[in-house]
Structures are given as structure tokens and as C-alpha cells.
């Protein structure tokens, strides 16, 4: 007669099983002795625990462990660990997990029994029906009836959109996983050279994604579009006519105004990176001209309009340069130098042709044109410095580096870069001059004084702020030279803080400040005196006194 399996998992809570299995994997079960009706073992936990299990007639009749958890009335992880060890090493008692039993049962079924069971369950269990379709629908891909797969794609979208026609935060992850399971066989299909069928699937998915209502906090649509773009690039690279041109025409219709801007970027990248043939490049120009005409019709002067105008002008210029239509590219550049992106193309073009003076001229005039845009001005300054270094004009490098520093005094790295242009001897003189000019800009001078180890000036700057907020930042570098001054500034700050009532979190901050003062010479005396004063002054603030450890007089 076949021996009955002993299934143990129902004897334990799930978390206990997980911990027991972890113990088993770590080989913490030792001295495992297996008898006809009794199993003993030592389990190495925080201490060594003795485990005993009694089995009669294929059933567990009793269990014990000398750990505190078991003595409290619950089956413990040490017992679970021994069962997992038995599952691996015991041939006498047929100990198995529930999963083991299920897998054995599954393997014992004939194909007819399994199909019969699935037919019945799929007909009455909607969740199983949906999961089964999602998992195995790809079997239809590649057959003539590919429309079934398109319907399956639609069913996945409709299932997750639900009645509200919106994929909320709770459904997003499941949706992304299932779309991934749809994309995977499409990728395999394309890998096998089925480019036309693959494009039909990609086109359909892009269409669905473009009209999708979803909580996209996780960037799900971008992630999906990124995967589809990878497949589309493979299709274009491997396809021949007429599919090659069909995809070009489809891209031409979908790179502007059809889907969300950030999703469009994937298609725009594919459109620009591929199709290098002269005929296709000329057709790209025609497509871009239509887009530019639509942008020009927009009445607003919004950032989005300016961005799109610059982007498509840049794309057109790059194509004209690829076609070696330098006259056409130059004309567009000349008409649109007020756009920084176009000016950047012109600068790069001049540099490619070693026309350094022209590039310098565009950058200098650009700095004036965009004087209200600090980021653009700084980018142009960096480019000028690079060019001056390239042509060996050190005097211009120093002059432009100084201008950049005065334009952008908040960036300490710019200051360090400027200092690096001088020898230590020359810097001593230049330092005082440039710091004086920085003072005139009314900027925060503390980082510069700290960088130059000008501690007296740094301390004076800190004192200018009545709240002394910078004490924390510069305490370490000032401590050895201005110990007493720092201590007194912290004292002044904490007295000011104590004047304002707050919650316990606020009073904990005050307590932290007191501990800081305690570290200074004479600090303990100051703290004791403050606490004594506050005991009377703030007797109506019991929470404050309690957090500071001050006895409360009733």
C-alpha cells in the first residue's frame, strides 16, 4: 500500500514557515535523528533548541521545542525548520510540502483529465479564464488569424480600465506586467523575421497607449513606449519594401500632435535616426514643414510652442546639413538665431569647420540676447572658455572665467575653476580683488571665506545673521580658533529659540542645542544657569520642562 504523505504546512502560520525555511537554508538544523515514530534534532537559534516530533500512522501526533515561543502555545520556526529538513532527507515518513503534493498530483494526471478540468474551471472562473488567455494567447501570434491577438490586447486594456475607463494607482503595476507579457511574444516574432506582423501589433499598442487614461505616477506609459520603440527599430532595420516605406508614412503621421509630447519623443527619435536615403530625407523635410506651419499658426507664446518650434527647426537644419544643403540650413539659422537651440547648432557648425571667431561672436551676442536666462548665459560662458583654451588665448580664458564667476557667484566650483587659472603667488593678489567684487554682488560670502580659510571674515559674516543659521555648517572649521565666540553664539541662539513655544519636537531641538553647548569649555555652567532660569521663566510650559529634564514644581 502506498504510504500517505505527511503535509506539515497547515500546522504553522505563514511567517513562521518563512522563518523556518530560512533556518533550513542556513543549515541551522543539526543532529537530525529519524526513528520509526520519533524525530529529534537540534536547531541553532539565539540558543540551541531541542526539537521532538512524534509520528504514528502517517500523522503528526505531537511536537515540542524548548524555545520560549513554543512554550507560549504556538508552533515555532525551529519545528518548521526540522520539517523542511525532513522533507529533504527523510525516506521513512514521506514528509512533503503542500506544493510537493500538488505538483505530484498534477504530474499524475493524463492530458485528457487536465484538459477536462481546465475546460470546466475556465468556464466558471473568470479570473482563471483571463489569466489563461493572457499567458497563452501568444500561441495565436504568427497564425493567419492575428486579429485574435489584437482582440486579446484590447481585452487586457478594457479589463484594467474597468467601468470608470481609468487605470488607477492600484491597477497600474498589474497592467504593466500583463502588457509586458503581450510585448514579449511580439519581440520574439520580430526576432524570427515576422516584421509585418510585428508592426501590426506595435502599431495597435501605440494607438491604445496614446488614448489611455491612467495614473502614470510610475512612468508606465513611457516604459511601455520605450519597449515598443526598441522593437520598432529592429523592424525598420530588417524590413524591406513596401513595409519599410509603410512604417515611414506611419511615423510621419504620428510624430506630432497625435499622442502626448513625452511619448512622441520616442517616435521622433526613430523618425530622425532612420531612413538616411536622399529621397526619404527630402520627404522628412516636407513632413517637418507641415509641422512647422501648424506651430506657426498657434497664437500663444507659451513655453511649449517655443520648445516645439526650436525642436523642429533643429531637426530640419540637421537634415539639411545631412543633405549638404548648406545654403538652406544657413538661411534657417540666420532667421532663427533668437532661439538658443538654433544658435547652438550654428555654433557647433562653425566649430566643426574651425570657424572659431564666428562661433565666439555668436556666443558673445547670445549672452547679451539671453541675459535674463542665467542657465543659458552660463552655458555660453563655458563654451567660450573651451574655445579660448582650444585656440590658446589664455588672457581671454581668464577674462571669461571671471565674468562667469561674477554672473554665477552661487556656484563655488566656478570660483575654484577661476582660482585654478593662477599660480599660488599670483592668486594671493587676485583673491582679494575678486572677493571684493563678489562682495559688491551682495551674495553670500561665507562659502568663499571658508574655502580660503579666512576665518575672521567668516565669523563676522555669521554674526551678521541674527538667527546664526550658519553656525551648524561652519562650526567644525571655526571651533579651534574661535571656541569661546562660537559657544556664546550658540548660547544666544538657544536663548532666542526658548522665547518661542512649540511642540515636543521643537523642545527636543532645544535640548540638542544644550548638549552641544555642554561640549564647550564653560558650557556646563552656562547650561545649568539657563535651566535654572527657564525653570521659573517657563513654568507654564510643562512639555518644555519635561523634554529638557527640568523638575516641575507644583
Amino acid at each position: 500500500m502506498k504510504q500517505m504523505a505527511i503535509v506539515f504546512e497547515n500546522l504553522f502560520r505563514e511567517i513562521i514557515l518563512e522563518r523556518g525555511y530560512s533556518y533550513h537554508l542556513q543549515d541551522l538544523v543539526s543532529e537530525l535523528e529519524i526513528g520509526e515514530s520519533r524525530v529529534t534534532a537540534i536547531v541553532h537559534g539565539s540558543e540551541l533548541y531541542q526539537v521532538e516530533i512524534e509520528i504514528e500512522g502517517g500523522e503528526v501526533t505531537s511536537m515540542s521545542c524548548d524555545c520560549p515561543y513554543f512554550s507560549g502555545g504556538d508552533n515555532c520556526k525551529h519545528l518548521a525548520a526540522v520539517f523542511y529538513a525532513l522533507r529533504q532527507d527523510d525516506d521513512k515518513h514521506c514528509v512533503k510540502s503542500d506544493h510537493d503534493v500538488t505538483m505530484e498530483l498534477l504530474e499524475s494526471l493524463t492530458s485528457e483529465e487536465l484538459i477536462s478540468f481546465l475546460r470546466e474551471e475556465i468556464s466558471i472562473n473568470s479570473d482563471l479564464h483571463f489569466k489563461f488567455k493572457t499567458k497563452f494567447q501568444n500561441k495565436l501570434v504568427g497564425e493567419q488569424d492575428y486579429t485574435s491577438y489584437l482582440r486579446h490586447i484590447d481585452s487586457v486594456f478594457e479589463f484594467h480600465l474597468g467601468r470608470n475607463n481609468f487605470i488607477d494607482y492600484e491597477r497600474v503595476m498589474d497592467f504593466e506586467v500583463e502588457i509586458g507579457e503581450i510585448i514579449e511574444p511580439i519581440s520574439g516574432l520580430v526576432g524570427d523575421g515576422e516584421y509585418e506582423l510585428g508592426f501590426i501589433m506595435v502599431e495597435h499598442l501605440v494607438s491604445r497607449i496614446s488614448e489611455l487614461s491612467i495614473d502614470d505616477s510610475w512612468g508606465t506609459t513611457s516604459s511601455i513606449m520605450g519597449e515598443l520603440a526598441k522593437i520598432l527599430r529592429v523592424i525598420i532595420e530588417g524590413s524591406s519594401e513596401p513595409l519599410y516605406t509603410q512604417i515611414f508614412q506611419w511615423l510621419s503621421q504620428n510624430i506630432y500632435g497625435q499622442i502626448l509630447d513625452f511619448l512622441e519623443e520616442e517616435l521622433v527619435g526613430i523618425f530622425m535616426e532612420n531612413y538616411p536615403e536622399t529621397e526619404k530625407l527630402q520627404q522628412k523635410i516636407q513632413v517637418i514643414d507641415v509641422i512647422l506651419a501648424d506651430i506657426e499658426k498657434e497664437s500663444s507664446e507659451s513655453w511649449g510652442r517655443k520648445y516645439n518650434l526650436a525642436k523642429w527647426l533643429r531637426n530640419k537644419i540637421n537634415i539639411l546639413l545631412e543633405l549638404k544643403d548648406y545654403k538652406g540650413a544657413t538661411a534657417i539659422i540666420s532667421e532663427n538665431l533668437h532661439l538658443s537651440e538654433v544658435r547652438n547648432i550654428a555654433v557647433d557648425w562653425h566649430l566643426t569647420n574651425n570657424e572659431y571667431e564666428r562661433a565666439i561672436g555668436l556666443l558673445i551676442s547670445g549672452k547679451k540676447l539671453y541675459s535674463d536666462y542665467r542657465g543659458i548665459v552660463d552655458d555660453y560662458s563655458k563654451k567660450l572658455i573651451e574655445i579660448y583654451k582650444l585656440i590658446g588665448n589664455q588672457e581671454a580664458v581668464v577674462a571669461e572665467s571671471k565674468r562667469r564667476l561674477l554672473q554665477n557667484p552661487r556656484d563655488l566650483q566656478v570660483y575654484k575653476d577661476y582660482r585654478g587659472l593662477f599660480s599660488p603667488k599670483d592668486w594671493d593678489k587676485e583673491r582679494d580683488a575678486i572677493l571684493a567684487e563678489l562682495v559688491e554682488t551682495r551674495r553670500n560670502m561665507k562659502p568663499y571665506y571658508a574655502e580660503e580659510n579666512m576665518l575672521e571674515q567668516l565669523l563676522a559674516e555669521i554674526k551678521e545673521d541674527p538667527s546664526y543659521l550658519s553656525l551648524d555648517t561652519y562650526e567644525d572649521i571655526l571651533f579651534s580658533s574661535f571656541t569661546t565666540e562660537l559657544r556664546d553664539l550658540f548660547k544666544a541662539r538657544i536663548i532666542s529659540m526658548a522665547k518661542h513655544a512649540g511642540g515636543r519636537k521643537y523642545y527636543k531641538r532645544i535640548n540638542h542645542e544644550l548638549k552641544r553647548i555642554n561640549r564647550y569649555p564653560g558650557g556646563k555652567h552656562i547650561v545649568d544657569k539657563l535651566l535654572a532660569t527657564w525653570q521659573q521663566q517657563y513654568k507654564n510650559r510643562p512639555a518644555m520642562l519635561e523634554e529638557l529634564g527640568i523638575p516641575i514644581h507644583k
Side-chain angles (χ1 to χ4, degrees):
M1 190 169 99
K2 188 173 180 180
Q3 187 178 12
M4 292 291 293
I6 299 173
V7 181
F8 62 90
E9 290 171 319
N10 62 314
L11 302 173
F12 300 88
R13 292 167 53 213
E14 185 174 349
I15 186 67
I16 297 300
L17 284 170
E18 290 175 3
R19 292 171 181 171
Y21 188 60
S22 175
Y23 268 39
H24 165 60
L25 292 178
Q26 296 176 63
D27 290 326
L28 297 179
V29 177
S30 66
E31 299 182 31
L32 181 64
E33 296 183 6
I34 305 169
E36 292 296 329
S37 60
R38 185 167 175 267
V39 175
T40 62
I42 299 294
V43 181
H44 300 252
S46 54
E47 298 180 14
L48 297 181
Y49 296 111
Q50 177 73 42
V51 170
E52 292 186 10
I53 301 170
E54 292 192 7
I55 300 171
E56 289 184 12
E59 293 184 2
V60 176
T61 56
S62 71
M63 298 184 292
S64 68
C65 177
D66 55 2
C67 74
Y69 188 83
F70 182 82
S71 63
D74 295 302
N75 292 338
C76 62
K77 59 189 174 185
H78 311 107
L79 281 164
V82 173
F83 273 111
Y84 280 115
L86 283 171
R87 176 191 174 212
Q88 177 177 300
D89 299 327
D90 179 23
D91 293 327
K92 289 184 179 181
H93 300 296
C94 197
V95 173
K96 297 179 181 179
S97 70
D98 183 62
H99 178 74
D100 296 333
V101 174
T102 302
M103 289 301 102
E104 284 183 8
L105 180 59
L106 184 62
E107 290 171 4
S108 72
L109 296 176
T110 65
S111 59
E112 290 80 9
E113 288 173 324
L114 186 58
I115 291 172
S116 174
F117 172 78
L118 283 173
R119 277 189 182 136
E120 182 177 350
E121 286 300 310
I122 286 172
S123 67
I124 62 176
N125 188 325
S126 59
D127 284 344
L128 178 61
H129 178 229
F130 184 77
K131 288 178 181 178
F132 183 81
K133 278 186 67 179
T134 301
K135 183 70 176 177
F136 298 110
Q137 184 80 18
N138 62 79
K139 298 289 185 182
L140 294 175
V141 181
E143 298 179 7
Q144 286 186 344
D145 187 20
Y146 63 83
T147 55
S148 294
Y149 200 69
L150 297 182
R151 287 196 297 271
H152 170 59
I153 291 173
D154 290 337
S155 72
V156 172
F157 276 82
E158 301 310 320
F159 175 80
H160 287 282
L161 282 165
R163 294 179 181 177
N164 296 324
N165 202 36
F166 180 77
I167 300 177
D168 60 26
Y169 181 83
E170 299 296 330
R171 286 177 172 263
V172 166
M173 294 300 291
D174 288 340
F175 171 73
E176 185 172 1
V177 168
E178 291 189 23
I179 294 298
E181 291 175 350
I182 286 172
I183 291 175
E184 186 176 351
I186 297 174
S187 180
L189 196 71
V190 171
D192 292 337
E194 295 285 351
Y195 302 124
E196 186 172 353
L197 195 53
F199 175 62
I200 291 172
M201 304 298 174
V202 169
E203 182 184 15
H204 190 72
L205 277 165
V206 170
S207 174
R208 292 306 309 254
I209 290 293
S210 68
E211 58 190 26
L212 186 64
S213 296
I214 184 173
D215 181 333
D216 209 13
S217 304
W218 292 99
T220 300
T221 54
S222 293
S223 176
I224 294 170
M225 281 294 291
E227 292 303 310
L228 294 175
K230 291 177 186 176
I231 296 173
L232 191 55
R233 286 184 170 91
V234 175
I235 294 173
I236 293 171
E237 185 177 341
S239 65
S240 55
E241 295 293 357
L243 180 60
Y244 185 71
T245 294
Q246 181 187 343
I247 298 172
F248 177 82
Q249 292 169 345
W250 176 78
L251 286 168
S252 300
Q253 295 165 4
N254 285 277
I255 54 176
Y256 183 74
Q258 299 303 307
I259 58 179
L260 294 173
D261 289 349
F262 66 93
L263 299 180
E264 265 179 12
E265 293 300 326
E266 290 284 2
L267 299 185
V268 172
I270 295 171
F271 180 76
M272 292 300 297
E273 293 163 12
N274 294 278
Y275 301 99
E277 303 83 6
T278 299
E279 180 185 359
K280 288 292 191 288
L281 291 174
Q282 290 169 342
Q283 290 174 5
K284 286 183 185 182
I285 293 292
Q286 294 171 6
V287 172
I288 293 175
D289 281 341
V290 173
I291 292 172
L292 288 170
D294 286 344
I295 296 172
E296 291 288 356
K297 291 176 186 176
E298 296 178 20
S299 56
S300 70
E301 287 296 323
S302 66
W303 176 87
R305 179 184 180 279
K306 291 178 181 178
Y307 172 80
N308 283 324
L309 180 61
K311 177 177 78 174
W312 286 109
L313 283 172
R314 181 181 68 240
N315 288 336
K316 183 175 181 179
I317 292 167
N318 285 332
I319 293 172
L320 288 171
L321 293 174
E322 199 170 345
L323 286 167
K324 295 184 169 48
D325 184 357
Y326 303 130
K327 184 178 179 180
T330 301
I332 295 176
I333 289 171
S334 300
E335 292 172 8
N336 295 281
L337 281 172
H338 60 286
L339 298 170
S340 63
E341 291 85 351
V342 174
R343 187 176 291 262
N344 290 340
I345 292 174
V347 169
D348 291 340
W349 177 247
H350 288 313
L351 291 176
T352 300
N353 292 285
N354 298 326
E355 297 170 347
Y356 300 117
E357 291 304 321
R358 288 191 174 189
I360 289 169
L362 284 174
L363 290 169
I364 291 173
S365 60
K367 285 180 63 178
K368 293 178 181 177
L369 181 63
Y370 296 107
S371 58
D372 292 334
Y373 299 89
R374 182 178 296 168
I376 295 176
V377 171
D378 190 56
D379 286 341
Y380 285 176
S381 276
K382 286 191 285 186
K383 183 70 80 173
L384 280 168
I385 293 168
E386 290 173 9
I387 296 172
Y388 290 141
K389 287 180 178 178
L390 186 64
I391 64 178
N393 189 341
Q394 185 63 17
E395 184 178 346
V397 170
V398 173
E400 187 59 37
S401 296
K402 182 176 181 179
R403 280 191 288 269
R404 185 182 174 220
L405 173 57
L406 294 174
Q407 293 159 2
N408 191 22
R410 295 181 181 177
D411 190 341
L412 188 61
Q413 185 58 49
V414 177
Y415 178 84
K416 293 178 181 178
D417 292 342
Y418 181 64
R419 183 176 61 188
L421 299 174
F422 296 85
S423 67
K425 181 179 179 182
D426 291 337
W427 179 245
D428 288 341
K429 181 179 178 181
E430 179 61 23
R431 181 192 68 177
D432 295 337
I434 195 64
L435 288 177
E437 291 192 57
L438 286 170
V439 168
E440 293 298 318
T441 66
R442 299 183 181 278
R443 298 295 183 184
N444 176 17
M445 293 300 297
K446 291 187 282 292
Y448 302 103
Y449 292 144
E451 180 65 25
E452 296 294 344
N453 203 37
M454 299 169 68
L455 301 185
E456 290 186 7
Q457 292 87 337
L458 173 59
L459 185 62
E461 281 284 307
I462 292 172
K463 289 180 178 178
E464 289 294 317
D465 177 7
S467 59
Y468 309 127
L469 291 176
S470 301
L471 278 174
D472 306 287
T473 304
Y474 300 107
E475 180 184 13
D476 288 344
I477 64 174
L478 289 170
F479 182 84
S480 60
S481 299
F482 298 99
T483 307
T484 302
E485 290 87 342
L486 278 179
R487 182 200 65 194
D488 293 343
L489 288 175
F490 278 118
K491 175 185 174 183
R493 185 167 83 173
I494 200 172
I495 289 173
S496 176
M497 289 176 66
K499 290 178 181 179
H500 305 283
R504 287 188 176 271
K505 190 173 181 179
Y506 182 70
Y507 297 138
K508 288 181 186 295
R509 281 180 55 202
I510 293 177
N511 194 34
H512 175 75
E513 294 288 301
L514 289 171
K515 290 177 181 177
R516 174 180 276 171
I517 294 174
N518 252 327
R519 299 199 302 263
Y520 283 81
K524 187 177 185 309
H525 174 72
I526 291 173
V527 169
D528 290 343
K529 196 170 180 180
L530 285 173
L531 294 177
T533 301
W534 291 346
Q535 186 178 34
Q536 296 300 319
Q537 188 174 356
Y538 301 121
K539 59 185 178 182
N540 293 326
R541 294 189 201 167
M544 173 181 174
L545 300 182
E546 184 177 322
E547 289 297 335
L548 300 183
I550 301 174
I552 302 174
H553 295 316
K554 297 183 179 179

